[in-house]
Amino acid sequence: MVFPKMILFDYGHTLLHEPGFSTLRGEEALYRYITVNRNNLSPGEIHAFSSKLYEEARAARDMGFELSEWQLRKMLNEYLGIELSISMEEAERIFWEHTSYGDVMPQADIMLDYINAQGIRNAVISNISFSGKVLTERINRLLPNNRFEFVIASSDYGFRKPNPLLFELALRRAGLDASEVWFCGDNVVADIEGAAGAGIFPVWYEDLTLENPWTRKYKGLRPTCEHLHIHEWRELIEILERLKQ
């Protein structure tokens, strides 16, 4: 390991998490903005269809491609005969905020303050259907002291980690070689193996204090690549301190 010039971070269960996640609550929040409901559907009925739609989209995600929230919402609205009084961007924002308001992962804010104080550049790469704009808004709201140079959301580009394209895009935007960069994330396949495949040194952040439903399918899986394995952000601070000396 060498002291990094830049550290890239995953979003979910790395920097922030989403307690009480409920897409039904998101649909209920959007319901009051419906101006046309041709089939007189209830929030529960809309939610049942949206759940089916998201499950259909899983096939694309499993192949490494991302469908955006806007695409899925457009299909839902037109298919069900629904019109809203608000823009797609505002609908996305309201839906996500009511699905889960979000919260900071333990010590993530302290860790970011530390790496900023050390002059280590940082940014975000996330596999997510929500747009980069609302993702950035959420990050700024919950981590107001962050200095992320950019936020890359898979929804804006159509590709998902572990595809090396998103990692290579981040390197190009940063103007750095892969050997100068670390990537921190919670997902063994998308984040750890993905970063290693792009030549970036991976840090597997495995928090054991909060339930992480997104990585259940990889339970028991261990990375086959060289990596750093930590369970708390203070461990990263301690390791960086040692590397400075």
Side-chain angles (χ1 to χ4, degrees):
M1 291 186 298
V2 296
F3 195 82
K5 290 184 178 179
M6 186 174 204
I7 301 179
L8 301 168
F9 293 92
D10 173 48
Y11 158 73
H13 278 266
T14 299
L15 296 171
L16 305 176
H17 67 114
E18 302 187 353
F21 190 88
S22 169
T23 51
L24 174 58
R25 192 167 54 241
E27 296 295 350
E28 290 171 340
L30 279 181
Y31 197 76
R32 62 178 173 266
Y33 297 96
I34 292 178
T35 55
V36 176
N37 186 351
R38 292 188 178 88
N39 298 297
N40 198 29
L41 299 172
S42 68
E45 289 170 321
I46 296 171
H47 177 257
F49 180 79
S50 70
S51 298
K52 180 177 181 295
L53 203 59
Y54 277 83
E55 191 59 35
E56 293 266 352
R58 188 184 301 276
R61 294 190 179 99
D62 289 344
M63 290 189 293
F65 301 103
E66 189 71 82
L67 295 177
S68 72
E69 181 69 20
W70 285 34
Q71 290 172 304
L72 295 171
R73 182 62 53 182
K74 183 177 176 63
M75 171 60 80
L76 182 150
N77 287 347
E78 293 187 18
Y79 190 91
L80 297 181
I82 289 172
E83 295 179 19
L84 301 174
S85 63
I86 54 178
S87 68
M88 194 70 76
E89 180 179 309
E90 188 62 19
E92 176 187 34
R93 184 178 294 111
I94 290 169
F95 176 78
W96 195 11
E97 286 182 356
H98 286 83
T99 295
S100 175
Y101 198 64
D103 200 0
V104 179
M105 289 297 288
Q107 306 168 358
D109 49 349
I110 297 171
M111 176 273 297
L112 289 175
D113 286 344
Y114 170 82
I115 66 171
N116 287 332
Q118 301 305 310
I120 302 172
R121 299 166 61 190
N122 46 90
V124 175
I125 310 175
S126 176
N127 279 353
I128 195 165
S129 63
F130 295 107
S131 67
K133 182 173 183 179
V134 297
L135 174 58
T136 301
E137 289 174 0
R138 173 167 289 224
I139 290 171
N140 289 341
R141 171 169 58 81
L142 293 168
L143 292 168
N145 294 329
N146 83 79
R147 297 181 191 169
F148 295 128
E149 293 184 15
F150 52 82
V151 174
I152 294 176
S154 58
S155 59
D156 291 343
Y157 297 92
F159 295 93
R160 288 171 59 85
K161 298 173 293 182
N163 191 311
L165 282 172
L166 292 184
F167 297 101
E168 291 167 358
L169 175 62
L171 294 175
R172 287 171 182 249
R173 291 183 68 169
L176 293 172
D177 186 78
S179 62
E180 302 172 302
V181 179
W182 290 8
F183 185 89
C184 300
D186 66 303
N187 188 299
V188 170
V189 175
D191 297 328
I192 308 311
E193 299 286 0
I200 297 171
F201 181 73
V203 178
W204 181 20
Y205 169 65
E206 187 185 26
D207 176 88
L208 300 176
T209 65
L210 297 171
E211 183 183 7
N212 187 349
W214 314 115
T215 56
R216 283 175 185 162
K217 65 183 290 187
Y218 300 120
K219 187 175 182 180
L221 189 65
R222 295 292 180 267
T224 58
C225 58
E226 181 183 0
H227 67 284
L228 175 64
H229 190 187
I230 63 173
H231 295 92
E232 297 180 349
W233 284 125
R234 65 177 177 81
E235 294 180 66
L236 182 67
I237 295 174
E238 292 168 359
I239 290 164
L240 290 170
E241 276 293 295
R242 291 199 297 270
L243 287 177
K244 279 197 322 180
Q245 299 171 5

